[in-house]
Structures are given as structure tokens and as C-alpha cells.
Amino acid sequence: MLTINFHPFPNLETERLFLRRLTEADINDILALRGNPETMKYIPRPLIETEEQALAHLKMIDENIENNTAINWGVYLKEDSKFVGFMGIYRIQPENYRAEIGYMILPEFNGKGYTTEAIKAIVTYGFDEMQLHSMEGVIDPDNSASERVLQKNGFVKEAHILENEFALGKFWDTVIYSLLKRNFKR
């Protein structure tokens, strides 16, 4: 079974991006991302609408990191430190050497390759540092942009599960994509 340890916090870097731990200084960024109906369209979670809710979300992220149960990074442009979004590794199953990857970016950064670039860094961390055997992305079947990003990173479709989650007053389908360590192209 895996032993997970996010201490010290692992900052990640790509050609154009810097991925670091979110802090209270990032509350407005969290609010802008999780409070934006466009970014939340395919995510079955309520909008974050106040600074207090954003602080509570940050507290949950910090507790997960402290307890080694999940990790989130804020994603920033290297050139001007502009906030792009956040991404992380969740639902870690140490007994199965498997975890889920999640990602959200602000709409103005769509189509620029930032998500694909950041996912590659996070998947590399998951396989090399965490010693995961497989990673999965769980998406809404209507989110074709997310599907393309996973496919660009080598993930393959495993399942389409009908109405398996009830949230925000309706049933949601989910599609699961996965990537085995041996199939990851660096």
C-alpha cells in the first residue's frame, strides 16, 4: 500500500506555468473560479459566492493536504503571475495505487494549452513521486473540452455511467477516463 506525504508541499513548474499551494491571499481567485457559472457548468457542486465560502473551501483544501488525503495547486502564469485556475489529485486510493485528477481554469485561458501542460506536470508527480499505478479523470459527458485535454494526455475512456450522482437537484452522468503509468508519455 502507498504511503502518501505532501510535506513539504511540492511546487511544480512547466515551461509557462508555476503550480503552488493556495493561500488566503488567493481568496479572490478561488471566488472568481468557483463562483463563475461558466467554469462550474459541468461540476456538480454549488457556486462559491462569498469570501467566507471561499475561505471555507481553502480550509478544506488545506486540511486535505495536511492529512495527506488530497492535494491542490494554484496554477499561475510564469510571465506575470496571473491566476489561471487550480488542479489537484483527489480520491486517493492507497490500497489500489490509484487517484483522481481534477482541474478547473478560468474561461479566458481556455484553448491555450495551459490545462494540458499543467496536467502533464501533475500526472508526472502522481506517477513519479506518489508512485501511483493509475490515474483517472471523472468528467461530465457533455464537457468535450475536458475530454480532449484528457485524451491529449494519454487518458482512455473506461466507462460512461448513467445518472450515478445526484447533485444540485438532478442526476448527473459521469464518464471515467484513466491512464496507466506504463502508458504515460513524458
Side-chain angles (χ1 to χ4, degrees), residues 22-36:
L22 293 159
T23 69
E24 283 193 29
D26 302 311
I27 290 302
N28 288 331
D29 294 332
I30 293 170
L31 192 55
L33 186 67
R34 290 295 305 261
N36 185 325

Side-chain angles (χ1 to χ4, degrees), residues 52-116:
E52 292 76 25
Q53 290 172 334
L55 277 169
H57 189 72
L58 177 62
K59 183 178 182 209
M60 183 227 16
I61 289 170
D62 282 340
E63 286 172 359
N64 287 336
I65 293 167
E66 292 307 315
N67 296 325
N68 296 308
T69 55
I71 186 168
N72 272 84
W73 290 270
V75 180
Y76 299 84
L77 296 178
K78 277 185 179 176
E79 66 185 38
D80 59 10
S81 299
K82 192 172 281 191
F83 176 74
V84 174
F86 53 76
M87 303 186 183
I89 299 174
Y90 317 90
R91 296 183 185 157
I92 300 168
Q93 303 170 32
E95 68 282 6
N96 295 317
Y97 295 74
R98 186 172 175 101
E100 179 181 336
I101 187 169
Y103 43 90
M104 303 177 69
I105 68 167
L106 291 167
E108 59 264 33
F109 297 108
N110 286 338
K112 299 180 186 325
Y114 296 132
T115 306
T116 300

